[in-house]
Amino acid sequence: MRTKPTLVEVAALAGVSKMTASRALRGASDVSERNIEKVLRASEEIGYVTNHLATSLSSQTTNLIGVVVPSLSNVVFAEVLAGISDAIQESGKQPVFGVSNYNAEVETGIIRDMLSWRPSGMIVTGLEQTEQSRKLLEGAGIPVAQIMDVDGDAIDINVGLSHVDAGREMARTLLNLGRSRFAYVGSALDNDVRAQKRMQGFCEELSRENLSLVESRTDEGFSSLPMGRELTADILRSGAKIDAIYYSNDDMAAGGLFAAMSAGVDVPGQLLLAGFNGLEFLEGLPVRLATARSPRRQIGAEATRILLEAMKQPLSRDERSLVFRPEIDLGDSIS
Amino acid sequence: MRTKPTLVEVAALAGVSKMTASRALRGASDVSERNIEKVLRASEEIGYVTNHLATSLSSQTTNLIGVVVPSLSNVVFAEVLAGISDAIQESGKQPVFGVSNYNAEVETGIIRDMLSWRPSGMIVTGLEQTEQSRKLLEGAGIPVAQIMDVDGDAIDINVGLSHVDAGREMARTLLNLGRSRFAYVGSALDNDVRAQKRMQGFCEELSRENLSLVESRTDEGFSSLPMGRELTADILRSGAKIDAIYYSNDDMAAGGLFAAMSAGVDVPGQLLLAGFNGLEFLEGLPVRLATARSPRRQIGAEATRILLEAMKQPLSRDERSLVFRPEIDLGDSIS
DNA sequence: ACTGGTATCGATACCGGTACCGATACCAGT
DNA sequence: ACTGGTATCGGTACCGGTATCGATACCAGT
């Protein structure tokens, strides 16, 4: 298992200097057709694969864009990544993913690791980074996009939606539908800052009507359908008189639906269930629950677009931020 | 926004040579306590971040491990990645993810890109790569692990399970439960080779009893809960007399459950539904469907473990492969 | 005093590319 | 013939680290 072929070997085989070989492989000008041909053939023959380490070190630029998300088991971020991949296509850049598991310290480590590869841009999730993370990102001298959330101060580029507003808006909508006795079901509030903000906004809006949550259930661990089912079942067993439940997200809400079904509670008639995200799988459920559709794919794509632009030229304050509004979908809860 | 500080600047500030600074930062020996102290302080002061491009180029080794999976919106691979991350911890290595979208040509491009960063190991999904991918991987001179599937010829390391056997075993189990009129519901067979293998195994086992599928529905696009619901509804509408449906995976099966529920069909009494994967969310559904639990997190972890070992020393043929057996879980279908 | 060993450091040569600039060849124009 | 321009190449100096080896200082042992 010998070492991988280098550019000089390609050049030697093609009978040219390594500079000419370099130019030919990069499709640069200043090379004759004949030599391009020869170099390409030589490269093919010995199975040459360019060494990006050397390329990047030499040219002082990389085609890397670092992306940090809190989780992959959450479809939401998978779609954000898909949006990023889409937008990055054709740019010659290449995304590199990191997962923080909703842990800010882990995130700092990941950011440090990524920066050591000298990416030409960074995309991180949310606005709540550790002090150290912010310092690292600010000192990196590259465009940085913070996505998903806009409730707070951004370092540079900011694309997302206000989760406080999203919670508020859902509360307002449910109030308008005549609901008045609310419960909240969520999970691991410490970790998922955005879910927390939604609940906060939800409660704020309730208090404007002098209302507050009748019941609330949360649990350790990551949100999931079974957890939503269990917590909801617990509320139903308690006999609390409620007519709507706001969930931290759609998975939890779906679990709630099944808890209600097995308890013989009519959804949405007796009990309205509302989630967040607008995931596709909701459409397959027996009852179409209320939700707020977040444009996650778009967020990924637009953030990337702005980031790529910022890599070419400095952007104005306005150009550096983009706020989406979640679209509320009441599903079968409207009538 | 000046350029990032380099090692020489740290060394200058600390009043030592860059070699001493390099050694100090790497925690190597041959440096006095006093100088280690000085270098660390200097590094901290100017916010030095090591340049992995230079490190790797110079030392001719990277701490990168390339990982290619077909999809991220599928929780299965998110869990595989989690397993990989776990096992890679403490090794000093760092995983880099790529997503092929179930497209072999895309995968080849990703593999080429990754190899250009000279990773010290690669993990790819499945055994069906393009000829070019295989050549690239074989010529890379690094350990390569193919995961999830063991039905075929592996390049180097192979960790996973036999999907043909998994399909066969599920068929056998359902037959033993007295079912005899089967349908299959899947999606995009061309793309998901492993689902195809499961169906193939399933059919093979049926034919041993001189049986074959009564009905079969597939559709373009990626498998999803709504798709499972729709295709199942279609079968039910057709009035075909069946007593069991085998799905390409759990998501599709869950969709099938809801189709059955809204058609008033008793599951699993009249109609047994079986999926694949053993995803967590099944536990929250109104009926616990049959499934085969695949040890995806373990597969990721074990593949990584073997890969890391192979990077230290050559492994024997036996040590290079690991076959798991899926555990069939009949849920409520047993009685 | 001399020798050998240990601990600590620095100079130098790379790693595999690219940027930059100078060299060469050839041709048209005068 | 001479000049200037264009097309095409190659030499050299880096990029920012690490490997390697030699230099130095200091100490114990005889």
Side-chain angles (χ1 to χ4, degrees):
Chain A
M1 180 184 78
R2 77 233 163 285
T3 172
K4 297 217 70 169
T6 70
L7 188 59
V8 280
E9 302 175 37
V10 175
L13 184 57
V16 298
S17 77
K18 70 170 182 170
M19 270 315 302
T20 301
S22 168
R23 282 192 273 250
L25 289 176
R26 276 180 296 158
S29 58
D30 277 16
V31 191
S32 64
E33 287 295 337
R34 211 172 53 92
N35 275 341
I36 291 182
E37 185 83 11
K38 284 202 292 186
V39 170
L40 256 38
R41 205 192 330 270
S43 161
E44 190 69 30
E45 185 177 331
I46 63 180
Y48 173 72
V49 176
T50 192
N51 187 332
H52 256 109
L53 296 170
T55 301
S56 301
L57 179 61
S58 169
S59 64
Q60 294 289 77
T61 68
T62 62
N63 64 347
L64 264 32
I65 291 184
V67 182
V68 189
V69 294
S71 158
L72 283 184
S73 11
N74 191 331
V75 196
V76 168
F77 296 107
E79 295 187 28
V80 171
L81 296 186
I84 293 176
S85 295
D86 284 355
I88 223 173
Q89 222 65 333
E90 308 289 319
S91 74
K93 305 287 174 191
Q94 193 179 341
V96 179
F97 306 130
V99 183
S100 71
N101 270 310
Y102 291 99
N103 182 319
E105 271 74 35
V106 171
E107 190 189 42
T108 300
I110 293 175
I111 290 175
R112 177 188 295 282
D113 279 345
M114 285 192 167
L115 289 181
S116 75
W117 291 101
R118 300 293 188 267
S120 46
M122 285 285 295
I123 299 179
V124 298
T125 306
L127 294 162
E128 283 79 16
Q129 274 79 33
T130 64
E131 194 50 45
Q132 207 179 356
S133 289
R134 283 188 87 97
K135 229 177 262 170
L136 282 168
L137 291 171
E138 283 164 356
I142 55 175
V144 174
Q146 289 166 296
I147 61 172
M148 306 311 284
D149 190 1
V150 299
D151 296 316
D153 288 329
I155 297 176
D156 181 11
I157 296 163
N158 192 199
V159 178
L161 52 88
S162 164
H163 289 262
V164 174
D165 282 356
R168 221 176 259 148
E169 210 168 319
M170 181 58 86
R172 170 62 31 208
T173 306
L174 300 189
L175 286 167
N176 288 345
L177 284 175
R179 308 287 164 151
S180 61
R181 302 188 53 82
F182 301 96
Y184 176 81
V185 171
S187 90
L189 286 184
D190 292 346
N191 293 329
D192 189 344
V193 193
R194 287 171 291 287
Q196 195 166 9
K197 287 179 177 174
R198 291 194 293 273
M199 184 191 81
Q200 182 191 322
F202 191 86
C203 292
E204 279 177 20
E205 193 66 23
L206 291 191
S207 59
R208 287 184 42 167
E209 305 278 338
N210 286 321
L211 290 174
S212 62
L213 293 175
V214 177
E215 282 285 347
S216 172
R217 290 285 190 290
T218 61
D219 200 353
E220 295 304 312
F222 301 123
S223 67
S224 69
L225 197 151
M227 183 189 284
R229 176 169 187 166
E230 218 171 297
L231 294 178
T232 305
D234 193 47
I235 289 187
L236 295 178
R237 267 195 304 272
S238 79
K241 288 179 59 178
I242 53 175
D243 55 17
I245 305 182
Y246 188 40
Y247 290 87
S248 57
N249 63 33
D250 288 342
D251 297 87
M252 297 284 280
L257 170 62
F258 300 135
M261 284 170 62
S262 75
V265 175
D266 173 39
V267 175
Q270 288 179 256
L271 185 62
L272 191 158
L273 304 183
F276 180 82
N277 274 331
L279 297 186
E280 185 195 20
F281 87 97
L282 286 187
E283 294 162 28
L285 297 187
V287 177
R288 282 171 48 237
L289 306 176
T291 189
R293 200 160 282 135
S294 67
R296 24 195 200 285
R297 198 175 182 115
Q298 261 187 74
I299 289 178
E302 288 299 312
T304 307
R305 191 185 55 69
I306 298 179
L307 192 77
L308 291 172
E309 249 171 70
M311 284 165 41
K312 293 187 215 146
Q313 56 188 290
L315 260 38
S316 73
R317 215 177 137 60
D318 279 356
E319 295 170 313
R320 288 204 309 264
S321 91
L322 186 56
V323 179
F324 287 95
R325 296 195 64 75
E327 175 200 347
I328 290 196
D329 176 359
L330 290 172
D332 294 331
S333 306
I334 190 94
S335 55
Chain B
M1 182 182 76
R2 78 231 167 285
T3 172
K4 298 215 66 167
T6 71
L7 188 60
V8 280
E9 303 175 38
V10 175
L13 184 57
V16 299
S17 77
K18 68 170 182 170
M19 268 317 302
T20 302
S22 169
R23 282 192 271 251
L25 289 176
R26 277 181 294 159
S29 58
D30 277 16
V31 190
S32 64
E33 286 296 335
R34 210 172 54 92
N35 277 340
I36 290 182
E37 185 84 9
K38 284 202 292 186
V39 170
L40 257 38
R41 204 189 332 269
S43 161
E44 190 70 28
E45 185 176 332
I46 63 181
Y48 173 72
V49 177
T50 192
N51 187 333
H52 255 109
L53 296 170
T55 301
S56 301
L57 179 61
S58 169
S59 64
Q60 294 289 78
T61 67
T62 62
N63 64 346
L64 264 32
I65 292 184
V67 182
V68 189
V69 294
S71 157
L72 283 184
S73 12
N74 192 329
V75 196
V76 169
F77 296 107
E79 293 185 29
V80 171
L81 296 187
I84 293 176
S85 295
D86 284 353
I88 224 173
Q89 220 65 334
E90 307 287 320
S91 75
K93 304 287 175 193
Q94 193 179 341
V96 179
F97 305 130
V99 183
S100 71
N101 270 310
Y102 290 99
N103 181 318
E105 270 74 36
V106 171
E107 190 189 43
T108 300
I110 293 175
I111 290 175
R112 178 188 295 282
D113 279 345
M114 283 192 170
L115 289 181
S116 76
W117 291 101
R118 301 291 187 268
S120 46
M122 285 285 294
I123 299 178
V124 299
T125 307
L127 295 162
E128 283 79 17
Q129 275 78 34
T130 63
E131 194 49 46
Q132 205 180 354
S133 289
R134 281 188 87 94
K135 227 177 264 170
L136 281 168
L137 291 172
E138 282 165 357
I142 54 174
V144 174
Q146 289 166 296
I147 59 172
M148 306 311 284
D149 191 1
V150 299
D151 295 316
D153 287 330
I155 297 175
D156 180 12
I157 297 164
N158 192 199
V159 178
L161 52 89
S162 164
H163 289 262
V164 175
D165 282 356
R168 219 176 262 148
E169 210 168 319
M170 182 58 86
R172 171 57 35 206
T173 306
L174 300 189
L175 286 166
N176 287 345
L177 283 175
R179 308 288 164 149
S180 60
R181 303 188 54 83
F182 299 96
Y184 176 82
V185 171
S187 89
L189 285 184
D190 292 345
N191 293 329
D192 190 344
V193 193
R194 286 171 291 287
Q196 196 166 7
K197 287 179 177 174
R198 291 193 293 272
M199 184 193 78
Q200 181 192 321
F202 192 85
C203 292
E204 278 178 21
E205 193 66 24
L206 292 190
S207 59
R208 288 185 41 167
E209 304 279 337
N210 287 321
L211 290 173
S212 62
L213 293 176
V214 177
E215 284 285 346
S216 172
R217 291 286 190 291
T218 62
D219 199 354
E220 297 301 313
F222 300 121
S223 67
S224 68
L225 195 151
M227 181 190 284
R229 177 169 186 166
E230 219 171 296
L231 294 178
T232 304
D234 192 49
I235 290 188
L236 295 178
R237 268 195 304 271
S238 78
K241 287 180 61 178
I242 53 175
D243 56 16
I245 305 183
Y246 189 40
Y247 290 87
S248 57
N249 63 33
D250 289 341
D251 298 86
M252 297 284 279
L257 170 61
F258 299 135
M261 282 170 63
S262 73
V265 174
D266 173 41
V267 175
Q270 288 178 256
L271 183 61
L272 191 159
L273 305 183
F276 180 83
N277 272 331
L279 297 186
E280 185 195 21
F281 87 99
L282 286 187
E283 294 163 26
L285 297 187
V287 177
R288 282 173 48 237
L289 306 176
T291 188
R293 199 160 285 133
S294 68
R296 25 195 200 286
R297 197 175 184 116
Q298 259 186 77
I299 289 178
E302 287 300 313
T304 306
R305 192 185 54 69
I306 297 179
L307 191 77
L308 290 172
E309 249 172 71
M311 285 165 40
K312 293 188 217 147
Q313 57 188 290
L315 260 38
S316 73
R317 214 175 138 59
D318 278 355
E319 295 170 313
R320 287 205 309 265
S321 90
L322 187 56
V323 178
F324 287 94
R325 298 195 63 76
E327 175 201 346
I328 289 194
D329 176 358
L330 290 173
D332 294 331
S333 307
I334 189 92
S335 55

